[in-house]
Amino acid sequence: MKRLQERAQNRPTGESPIIRMAVRVMIPFIQLFGLYVIVHGHYSPGGGFQGGVILGASFILMALAFDLKTTTDYFSEKANAILGNAGALIFTGLGALTAILGGLWLDYSALDRIIPLGPIEWRSMGIFLVEVGVGLAVMSIMVSLYWDLASGGDMDEGL
Amino acid sequence: MKNLALLATLVTGAILLYGTKDFAPWGDPGSPAATHLSPYYIENAVEQTHVPNLVTAVLGDYRGYDTMFETVVIYCAGMAVVSVLRRPKR
Amino acid sequence: MEGILAEIVAKYNYWLYVVLMMIGFYAMIGKRNLVKKLLGMNIFQTAIILFFVSTGVKRGGGIPILDKYKVLEHGVDVAQVVNPLPHVLMLTAIVVAVSITGVALAILQRIYREYGTLEEDEILEKVGE
């Protein structure tokens, strides 16, 4: 909050304080909603893709209302790369794990041999883990696409 | 050039419109798309995975292979954009 | 005439998607500006996505989110639930469309940086020099 305020005061081109205030208030709720959409994908419309896009949109909104540097202060490029790789690795790694444990590729009921929850519960659980991986990967790629396209690859001021 | 493009578009559109003659009417429960594979998912998905949202069940479990490579596709897209646009820092 | 009209009314969704697809297709092959071509491709993809989702519709069908305990006890009537398969396929297609758009915009930016224009004719002239 403090850094956002300093950033807003130092900004040479003054944008509307109404927009900055509204975005500052909205961003935590948007991110909370994105997490809700990811983890509640079993019981309501939602899942990894949709929740990941909502999470990414919150960072894009921050970059639009303030500037690109503000976003990289809060969510560094390194963290973004780590999260994106982790998301893709969770999915493929889970597939490899089930294959190693003796099931088919991505047959989550094979995970029952590590923690016995029952094969059907593990299929539900496996879908949840996969959705989390997809959500992380999609969020990271969305933010990275916006950063590169808005600044032309320079990662400076942005739009 | 523009006229050629318009002609190609109109011919393609006319062929496709002729093709709609064989489609099932809108919202027909007995259409081929609704009678071959999807009844299996609708009847068995909840029992086999305990996930009430059928779209999530099919996306994450029955078609997990598809979704996995799709995650790889967007990952590759991100890498491609970074490698096409990023300039070395001066 | 009567027959054609009845046909259009029964399948108006497919006719609308074909018209939308024709708009996108014309923009892809008829326009000389690369950004307009990209927009045409997006319209084309939207038409395909709408077409697939509309094949999953059943008259009187509910959303494909069921009541777990009711289904485990009594089973489910297939005609009461819309087809979930096209929704899954199009969910993946939408994300692929987003990544295609992202890569295409990146390549367009690179072309603009290299040639200073996005008009096809001018780029071809500069390539020929």
Side-chain angles (χ1 to χ4, degrees), chain A residues 43-45 49-50 121 138 142 145 148-153, chain C residues 63 65 68 91-92 95 98-99 101-103 105-106 109 113:
Chain A
Y43 300 98
S44 66
F49 293 114
Q50 298 93 320
E121 289 307 317
V138 169
M142 285 295 144
L145 280 182
D148 279 319
L149 289 175
S151 67
Chain C
I63 57 171
I65 298 173
K68 186 166 148 187
L91 192 59
T92 57
V95 180
V98 169
S99 24
T101 312
V103 174
L105 283 173
Q109 276 202 14
R113 207 189 280 167

PDB file of all heavy atoms in Angstrom, chain A residues 43-45 49-50 121 138 142 145 148-153, chain C residues 63 65 68 91-92 95 98-99 101-103 105-106 109 113:
ATOM      1  N   TYR A  43     -17.279 -27.821  -7.826  1.00  0.00           N
ATOM      2  CA  TYR A  43     -18.685 -27.689  -7.450  1.00  0.00           C
ATOM      3  C   TYR A  43     -19.404 -26.568  -8.172  1.00  0.00           C
ATOM      4  O   TYR A  43     -20.606 -26.412  -8.000  1.00  0.00           O
ATOM      5  CB  TYR A  43     -18.802 -27.471  -5.934  1.00  0.00           C
ATOM      6  CG  TYR A  43     -18.226 -28.617  -5.169  1.00  0.00           C
ATOM      7  CD1 TYR A  43     -16.945 -28.562  -4.647  1.00  0.00           C
ATOM      8  CD2 TYR A  43     -18.953 -29.782  -5.018  1.00  0.00           C
ATOM      9  CE1 TYR A  43     -16.409 -29.635  -3.985  1.00  0.00           C
ATOM     10  CE2 TYR A  43     -18.420 -30.864  -4.351  1.00  0.00           C
ATOM     11  CZ  TYR A  43     -17.144 -30.786  -3.842  1.00  0.00           C
ATOM     12  OH  TYR A  43     -16.623 -31.859  -3.203  1.00  0.00           O
ATOM     13  N   SER A  44     -18.688 -25.745  -8.919  1.00  0.00           N
ATOM     14  CA  SER A  44     -19.337 -24.618  -9.601  1.00  0.00           C
ATOM     15  C   SER A  44     -18.564 -24.375 -10.890  1.00  0.00           C
ATOM     16  O   SER A  44     -17.486 -24.914 -11.062  1.00  0.00           O
ATOM     17  CB  SER A  44     -19.299 -23.374  -8.716  1.00  0.00           C
ATOM     18  OG  SER A  44     -17.981 -22.953  -8.547  1.00  0.00           O
ATOM     19  N   PRO A  45     -19.103 -23.573 -11.807  1.00  0.00           N
ATOM     20  CA  PRO A  45     -18.335 -23.267 -13.008  1.00  0.00           C
ATOM     21  C   PRO A  45     -16.997 -22.659 -12.628  1.00  0.00           C
ATOM     22  O   PRO A  45     -16.948 -21.752 -11.814  1.00  0.00           O
ATOM     23  CB  PRO A  45     -19.200 -22.252 -13.749  1.00  0.00           C
ATOM     24  CG  PRO A  45     -20.556 -22.476 -13.250  1.00  0.00           C
ATOM     25  CD  PRO A  45     -20.423 -22.949 -11.842  1.00  0.00           C
ATOM     26  N   PHE A  49      -8.125 -22.904 -15.740  1.00  0.00           N
ATOM     27  CA  PHE A  49      -7.976 -21.913 -16.807  1.00  0.00           C
ATOM     28  C   PHE A  49      -8.642 -20.595 -16.428  1.00  0.00           C
ATOM     29  O   PHE A  49      -8.034 -19.534 -16.514  1.00  0.00           O
ATOM     30  CB  PHE A  49      -8.590 -22.438 -18.102  1.00  0.00           C
ATOM     31  CG  PHE A  49      -7.865 -23.605 -18.672  1.00  0.00           C
ATOM     32  CD1 PHE A  49      -8.460 -24.842 -18.748  1.00  0.00           C
ATOM     33  CD2 PHE A  49      -6.574 -23.469 -19.118  1.00  0.00           C
ATOM     34  CE1 PHE A  49      -7.784 -25.916 -19.252  1.00  0.00           C
ATOM     35  CE2 PHE A  49      -5.892 -24.541 -19.627  1.00  0.00           C
ATOM     36  CZ  PHE A  49      -6.494 -25.773 -19.695  1.00  0.00           C
ATOM     37  N   GLN A  50      -9.895 -20.695 -15.992  1.00  0.00           N
ATOM     38  CA  GLN A  50     -10.632 -19.470 -15.695  1.00  0.00           C
ATOM     39  C   GLN A  50     -10.013 -18.727 -14.522  1.00  0.00           C
ATOM     40  O   GLN A  50      -9.808 -17.507 -14.568  1.00  0.00           O
ATOM     41  CB  GLN A  50     -12.091 -19.816 -15.374  1.00  0.00           C
ATOM     42  CG  GLN A  50     -12.833 -20.465 -16.507  1.00  0.00           C
ATOM     43  CD  GLN A  50     -12.791 -21.974 -16.443  1.00  0.00           C
ATOM     44  OE1 GLN A  50     -11.767 -22.562 -16.112  1.00  0.00           O
ATOM     45  NE2 GLN A  50     -13.886 -22.622 -16.759  1.00  0.00           N
ATOM     46  N   GLU A 121     -11.551 -41.199  -4.360  1.00  0.00           N
ATOM     47  CA  GLU A 121     -11.195 -39.914  -3.750  1.00  0.00           C
ATOM     48  C   GLU A 121      -9.909 -39.385  -4.350  1.00  0.00           C
ATOM     49  O   GLU A 121      -9.750 -38.174  -4.532  1.00  0.00           O
ATOM     50  CB  GLU A 121     -11.047 -40.067  -2.233  1.00  0.00           C
ATOM     51  CG  GLU A 121     -12.358 -40.285  -1.514  1.00  0.00           C
ATOM     52  CD  GLU A 121     -13.372 -39.214  -1.852  1.00  0.00           C
ATOM     53  OE1 GLU A 121     -12.994 -38.033  -1.902  1.00  0.00           O
ATOM     54  OE2 GLU A 121     -14.533 -39.570  -2.090  1.00  0.00           O
ATOM     55  N   VAL A 138      -1.230 -20.772 -16.264  1.00  0.00           N
ATOM     56  CA  VAL A 138      -1.979 -19.789 -17.057  1.00  0.00           C
ATOM     57  C   VAL A 138      -1.758 -18.381 -16.510  1.00  0.00           C
ATOM     58  O   VAL A 138      -1.534 -17.432 -17.280  1.00  0.00           O
ATOM     59  CB  VAL A 138      -3.477 -20.149 -17.074  1.00  0.00           C
ATOM     60  CG1 VAL A 138      -4.287 -19.025 -17.654  1.00  0.00           C
ATOM     61  CG2 VAL A 138      -3.699 -21.393 -17.873  1.00  0.00           C
ATOM     62  N   MET A 142      -0.118 -15.432 -18.739  1.00  0.00           N
ATOM     63  CA  MET A 142      -0.887 -14.215 -19.037  1.00  0.00           C
ATOM     64  C   MET A 142      -0.095 -12.970 -18.662  1.00  0.00           C
ATOM     65  O   MET A 142       0.011 -12.012 -19.439  1.00  0.00           O
ATOM     66  CB  MET A 142      -2.197 -14.210 -18.237  1.00  0.00           C
ATOM     67  CG  MET A 142      -3.255 -15.122 -18.744  1.00  0.00           C
ATOM     68  SD  MET A 142      -3.789 -14.602 -20.346  1.00  0.00           S
ATOM     69  CE  MET A 142      -4.071 -16.165 -21.082  1.00  0.00           C
ATOM     70  N   LEU A 145       2.901 -12.534 -20.992  1.00  0.00           N
ATOM     71  CA  LEU A 145       2.478 -12.039 -22.311  1.00  0.00           C
ATOM     72  C   LEU A 145       2.227 -10.545 -22.249  1.00  0.00           C
ATOM     73  O   LEU A 145       2.673  -9.783 -23.109  1.00  0.00           O
ATOM     74  CB  LEU A 145       1.192 -12.734 -22.758  1.00  0.00           C
ATOM     75  CG  LEU A 145       1.235 -14.121 -23.359  1.00  0.00           C
ATOM     76  CD1 LEU A 145      -0.157 -14.539 -23.762  1.00  0.00           C
ATOM     77  CD2 LEU A 145       2.137 -14.167 -24.530  1.00  0.00           C
ATOM     78  N   ASP A 148       5.536  -8.446 -21.881  1.00  0.00           N
ATOM     79  CA  ASP A 148       6.359  -8.358 -23.088  1.00  0.00           C
ATOM     80  C   ASP A 148       5.665  -7.579 -24.195  1.00  0.00           C
ATOM     81  O   ASP A 148       6.295  -6.798 -24.892  1.00  0.00           O
ATOM     82  CB  ASP A 148       6.702  -9.759 -23.567  1.00  0.00           C
ATOM     83  CG  ASP A 148       7.852 -10.325 -22.784  1.00  0.00           C
ATOM     84  OD1 ASP A 148       8.784  -9.558 -22.528  1.00  0.00           O
ATOM     85  OD2 ASP A 148       7.806 -11.503 -22.419  1.00  0.00           O
ATOM     86  N   LEU A 149       4.348  -7.797 -24.366  1.00  0.00           N
ATOM     87  CA  LEU A 149       3.673  -7.120 -25.474  1.00  0.00           C
ATOM     88  C   LEU A 149       3.512  -5.634 -25.195  1.00  0.00           C
ATOM     89  O   LEU A 149       3.594  -4.815 -26.103  1.00  0.00           O
ATOM     90  CB  LEU A 149       2.311  -7.753 -25.725  1.00  0.00           C
ATOM     91  CG  LEU A 149       2.370  -9.138 -26.342  1.00  0.00           C
ATOM     92  CD1 LEU A 149       0.978  -9.716 -26.430  1.00  0.00           C
ATOM     93  CD2 LEU A 149       2.972  -9.084 -27.711  1.00  0.00           C
ATOM     94  N   ALA A 150       3.282  -5.254 -23.919  1.00  0.00           N
ATOM     95  CA  ALA A 150       3.028  -3.843 -23.620  1.00  0.00           C
ATOM     96  C   ALA A 150       4.295  -3.025 -23.684  1.00  0.00           C
ATOM     97  O   ALA A 150       4.252  -1.855 -24.035  1.00  0.00           O
ATOM     98  CB  ALA A 150       2.399  -3.708 -22.244  1.00  0.00           C
ATOM     99  N   SER A 151       5.446  -3.634 -23.336  1.00  0.00           N
ATOM    100  CA  SER A 151       6.669  -2.836 -23.319  1.00  0.00           C
ATOM    101  C   SER A 151       7.549  -3.133 -24.521  1.00  0.00           C
ATOM    102  O   SER A 151       8.645  -2.586 -24.612  1.00  0.00           O
ATOM    103  CB  SER A 151       7.449  -3.116 -22.038  1.00  0.00           C
ATOM    104  OG  SER A 151       7.917  -4.435 -22.055  1.00  0.00           O
ATOM    105  N   GLY A 152       7.125  -3.983 -25.434  1.00  0.00           N
ATOM    106  CA  GLY A 152       7.950  -4.321 -26.580  1.00  0.00           C
ATOM    107  C   GLY A 152       9.204  -5.085 -26.193  1.00  0.00           C
ATOM    108  O   GLY A 152      10.186  -5.049 -26.908  1.00  0.00           O
ATOM    109  N   GLY A 153       9.156  -5.775 -25.058  1.00  0.00           N
ATOM    110  CA  GLY A 153      10.291  -6.592 -24.654  1.00  0.00           C
ATOM    111  C   GLY A 153      11.322  -5.860 -23.826  1.00  0.00           C
ATOM    112  O   GLY A 153      12.312  -6.445 -23.423  1.00  0.00           O
TER     113      GLY A 153
ATOM    114  N   ILE C  63     -27.656 -27.401 -16.717  1.00  0.00           N
ATOM    115  CA  ILE C  63     -26.205 -27.249 -16.763  1.00  0.00           C
ATOM    116  C   ILE C  63     -25.540 -28.559 -16.351  1.00  0.00           C
ATOM    117  O   ILE C  63     -26.110 -29.331 -15.570  1.00  0.00           O
ATOM    118  CB  ILE C  63     -25.724 -26.103 -15.853  1.00  0.00           C
ATOM    119  CG1 ILE C  63     -26.187 -26.321 -14.416  1.00  0.00           C
ATOM    120  CG2 ILE C  63     -26.190 -24.780 -16.362  1.00  0.00           C
ATOM    121  CD1 ILE C  63     -25.589 -25.375 -13.443  1.00  0.00           C
ATOM    122  N   ILE C  65     -23.656 -29.549 -14.144  1.00  0.00           N
ATOM    123  CA  ILE C  65     -23.160 -29.645 -12.767  1.00  0.00           C
ATOM    124  C   ILE C  65     -24.257 -30.331 -11.981  1.00  0.00           C
ATOM    125  O   ILE C  65     -25.353 -29.778 -11.831  1.00  0.00           O
ATOM    126  CB  ILE C  65     -22.835 -28.257 -12.187  1.00  0.00           C
ATOM    127  CG1 ILE C  65     -21.725 -27.608 -13.002  1.00  0.00           C
ATOM    128  CG2 ILE C  65     -22.413 -28.389 -10.743  1.00  0.00           C
ATOM    129  CD1 ILE C  65     -21.452 -26.188 -12.614  1.00  0.00           C
ATOM    130  N   LYS C  68     -24.325 -34.326  -6.355  1.00  0.00           N
ATOM    131  CA  LYS C  68     -23.543 -35.551  -6.176  1.00  0.00           C
ATOM    132  C   LYS C  68     -24.350 -36.660  -5.498  1.00  0.00           C
ATOM    133  O   LYS C  68     -24.428 -37.783  -5.999  1.00  0.00           O
ATOM    134  CB  LYS C  68     -22.327 -35.182  -5.338  1.00  0.00           C
ATOM    135  CG  LYS C  68     -21.321 -36.277  -5.152  1.00  0.00           C
ATOM    136  CD  LYS C  68     -20.034 -35.656  -4.610  1.00  0.00           C
ATOM    137  CE  LYS C  68     -19.291 -36.603  -3.710  1.00  0.00           C
ATOM    138  NZ  LYS C  68     -18.158 -35.927  -3.074  1.00  0.00           N
ATOM    139  N   LEU C  91     -13.135 -25.134 -24.116  1.00  0.00           N
ATOM    140  CA  LEU C  91     -12.339 -24.508 -23.057  1.00  0.00           C
ATOM    141  C   LEU C  91     -10.865 -24.548 -23.427  1.00  0.00           C
ATOM    142  O   LEU C  91     -10.155 -23.539 -23.326  1.00  0.00           O
ATOM    143  CB  LEU C  91     -12.578 -25.264 -21.741  1.00  0.00           C
ATOM    144  CG  LEU C  91     -12.072 -24.624 -20.478  1.00  0.00           C
ATOM    145  CD1 LEU C  91     -12.722 -23.289 -20.313  1.00  0.00           C
ATOM    146  CD2 LEU C  91     -12.391 -25.499 -19.310  1.00  0.00           C
ATOM    147  N   THR C  92     -10.401 -25.709 -23.912  1.00  0.00           N
ATOM    148  CA  THR C  92      -9.012 -25.780 -24.329  1.00  0.00           C
ATOM    149  C   THR C  92      -8.783 -24.937 -25.584  1.00  0.00           C
ATOM    150  O   THR C  92      -7.746 -24.289 -25.702  1.00  0.00           O
ATOM    151  CB  THR C  92      -8.598 -27.228 -24.591  1.00  0.00           C
ATOM    152  OG1 THR C  92      -9.464 -27.783 -25.567  1.00  0.00           O
ATOM    153  CG2 THR C  92      -8.677 -28.050 -23.352  1.00  0.00           C
ATOM    154  N   VAL C  95      -8.167 -21.252 -24.760  1.00  0.00           N
ATOM    155  CA  VAL C  95      -6.846 -20.935 -24.232  1.00  0.00           C
ATOM    156  C   VAL C  95      -5.806 -21.003 -25.346  1.00  0.00           C
ATOM    157  O   VAL C  95      -4.891 -20.169 -25.413  1.00  0.00           O
ATOM    158  CB  VAL C  95      -6.516 -21.885 -23.072  1.00  0.00           C
ATOM    159  CG1 VAL C  95      -5.163 -21.577 -22.523  1.00  0.00           C
ATOM    160  CG2 VAL C  95      -7.536 -21.741 -22.003  1.00  0.00           C
ATOM    161  N   VAL C  98      -5.966 -17.826 -27.225  1.00  0.00           N
ATOM    162  CA  VAL C  98      -5.263 -16.736 -26.542  1.00  0.00           C
ATOM    163  C   VAL C  98      -3.773 -16.827 -26.786  1.00  0.00           C
ATOM    164  O   VAL C  98      -3.106 -15.827 -27.085  1.00  0.00           O
ATOM    165  CB  VAL C  98      -5.577 -16.765 -25.032  1.00  0.00           C
ATOM    166  CG1 VAL C  98      -4.655 -15.828 -24.287  1.00  0.00           C
ATOM    167  CG2 VAL C  98      -6.999 -16.378 -24.781  1.00  0.00           C
ATOM    168  N   SER C  99      -3.218 -18.051 -26.714  1.00  0.00           N
ATOM    169  CA  SER C  99      -1.763 -18.137 -26.915  1.00  0.00           C
ATOM    170  C   SER C  99      -1.390 -17.849 -28.362  1.00  0.00           C
ATOM    171  O   SER C  99      -0.356 -17.225 -28.609  1.00  0.00           O
ATOM    172  CB  SER C  99      -1.198 -19.477 -26.453  1.00  0.00           C
ATOM    173  OG  SER C  99      -2.157 -20.460 -26.451  1.00  0.00           O
ATOM    174  N   THR C 101      -2.971 -15.750 -30.303  1.00  0.00           N
ATOM    175  CA  THR C 101      -3.026 -14.299 -30.439  1.00  0.00           C
ATOM    176  C   THR C 101      -1.788 -13.639 -29.844  1.00  0.00           C
ATOM    177  O   THR C 101      -1.242 -12.692 -30.421  1.00  0.00           O
ATOM    178  CB  THR C 101      -4.293 -13.765 -29.762  1.00  0.00           C
ATOM    179  OG1 THR C 101      -5.398 -14.542 -30.195  1.00  0.00           O
ATOM    180  CG2 THR C 101      -4.529 -12.336 -30.111  1.00  0.00           C
ATOM    181  N   GLY C 102      -1.351 -14.162 -28.684  1.00  0.00           N
ATOM    182  CA  GLY C 102      -0.171 -13.586 -28.057  1.00  0.00           C
ATOM    183  C   GLY C 102       1.059 -13.720 -28.927  1.00  0.00           C
ATOM    184  O   GLY C 102       1.777 -12.745 -29.159  1.00  0.00           O
ATOM    185  N   VAL C 103       1.287 -14.923 -29.453  1.00  0.00           N
ATOM    186  CA  VAL C 103       2.472 -15.134 -30.299  1.00  0.00           C
ATOM    187  C   VAL C 103       2.370 -14.294 -31.559  1.00  0.00           C
ATOM    188  O   VAL C 103       3.355 -13.680 -32.001  1.00  0.00           O
ATOM    189  CB  VAL C 103       2.618 -16.634 -30.629  1.00  0.00           C
ATOM    190  CG1 VAL C 103       3.744 -16.838 -31.610  1.00  0.00           C
ATOM    191  CG2 VAL C 103       2.904 -17.413 -29.380  1.00  0.00           C
ATOM    192  N   LEU C 105       0.800 -11.418 -31.976  1.00  0.00           N
ATOM    193  CA  LEU C 105       1.067 -10.009 -31.673  1.00  0.00           C
ATOM    194  C   LEU C 105       2.559  -9.776 -31.465  1.00  0.00           C
ATOM    195  O   LEU C 105       3.093  -8.745 -31.883  1.00  0.00           O
ATOM    196  CB  LEU C 105       0.286  -9.586 -30.429  1.00  0.00           C
ATOM    197  CG  LEU C 105      -1.199  -9.337 -30.644  1.00  0.00           C
ATOM    198  CD1 LEU C 105      -1.885  -9.103 -29.321  1.00  0.00           C
ATOM    199  CD2 LEU C 105      -1.404  -8.133 -31.534  1.00  0.00           C
ATOM    200  N   ALA C 106       3.226 -10.748 -30.835  1.00  0.00           N
ATOM    201  CA  ALA C 106       4.669 -10.588 -30.629  1.00  0.00           C
ATOM    202  C   ALA C 106       5.388 -10.530 -31.970  1.00  0.00           C
ATOM    203  O   ALA C 106       6.264  -9.685 -32.191  1.00  0.00           O
ATOM    204  CB  ALA C 106       5.207 -11.745 -29.793  1.00  0.00           C
ATOM    205  N   GLN C 109       4.805  -7.205 -33.612  1.00  0.00           N
ATOM    206  CA  GLN C 109       5.658  -6.151 -33.050  1.00  0.00           C
ATOM    207  C   GLN C 109       7.064  -6.240 -33.603  1.00  0.00           C
ATOM    208  O   GLN C 109       7.698  -5.231 -33.907  1.00  0.00           O
ATOM    209  CB  GLN C 109       5.705  -6.285 -31.527  1.00  0.00           C
ATOM    210  CG  GLN C 109       4.546  -5.635 -30.827  1.00  0.00           C
ATOM    211  CD  GLN C 109       4.882  -5.333 -29.393  1.00  0.00           C
ATOM    212  OE1 GLN C 109       6.040  -5.367 -29.003  1.00  0.00           O
ATOM    213  NE2 GLN C 109       3.869  -5.048 -28.612  1.00  0.00           N
ATOM    214  N   ARG C 113       9.053  -3.504 -35.769  1.00  0.00           N
ATOM    215  CA  ARG C 113      10.365  -3.006 -35.359  1.00  0.00           C
ATOM    216  C   ARG C 113      11.360  -3.104 -36.513  1.00  0.00           C
ATOM    217  O   ARG C 113      12.210  -2.259 -36.697  1.00  0.00           O
ATOM    218  CB  ARG C 113      10.843  -3.853 -34.182  1.00  0.00           C
ATOM    219  CG  ARG C 113      11.795  -3.137 -33.263  1.00  0.00           C
ATOM    220  CD  ARG C 113      12.374  -4.123 -32.279  1.00  0.00           C
ATOM    221  NE  ARG C 113      11.484  -4.415 -31.179  1.00  0.00           N
ATOM    222  CZ  ARG C 113      11.689  -5.439 -30.354  1.00  0.00           C
ATOM    223  NH1 ARG C 113      12.714  -6.243 -30.520  1.00  0.00           N
ATOM    224  NH2 ARG C 113      10.852  -5.648 -29.363  1.00  0.00           N
TER     225      ARG C 113
END
